[in-house]
Amino acid sequence: MQETSDEDLFLAFQKRRDIASLSRLFSRRADELLRLAVFLSPRPTDAEDLLQATFLSAIARAETYREGFRVMSWLCGILTNHARMLR
């Protein structure tokens, strides 16, 4: 059985507000995003806050995600913008 893509998981949340799909995406990608947050954070203690802010922004602005784009690229962009504002 083929694993559901990140993009399909986020689209399920975007279109149907499927919380289980969003949860799967978070579980799958949180560690990777946290590593990026640690790298971009002015202080290591800010990394978890950046991760949380990234997913809250993704939830609030789900309609801005465009099908056909990599969801991880979109999430990394959101995280980078939050880190920039924090600095």
Side-chain angles (χ1 to χ4, degrees):
M1 186 168 157
Q2 187 175 354
E3 187 173 353
T4 306
S5 72
D6 293 347
E7 291 71 29
D8 287 340
L9 290 172
F10 195 77
L11 287 170
F13 172 73
Q14 183 190 51
K15 293 176 180 179
R16 300 186 310 273
R17 293 298 187 224
D18 181 357
I19 300 299
S21 292
L22 183 67
S23 177
R24 283 179 59 199
L25 177 62
F26 180 83
S27 295
R28 183 185 292 177
R29 296 300 174 195
D31 287 344
E32 188 176 355
L33 288 167
L34 185 59
R35 283 192 298 275
L36 177 60
V38 167
F39 178 76
L40 295 175
S41 295
R43 295 174 303 275
T45 55
D46 293 329
E48 288 184 4
D49 291 339
L50 284 173
L51 178 63
Q52 182 179 18
T54 298
F55 271 92
L56 289 174
S57 292
I59 291 166
R61 298 190 306 232
E63 71 283 348
T64 67
Y65 172 73
R66 289 197 171 90
E67 191 170 352
F69 289 92
R70 306 274 301 168
V71 76
M72 272 300 287
S73 296
W74 184 67
L75 291 171
C76 287
I78 293 170
L79 193 148
T80 301
N81 286 335
H82 279 292
R84 189 177 302 124
M85 288 186 294
L86 188 61
R87 283 185 257 155

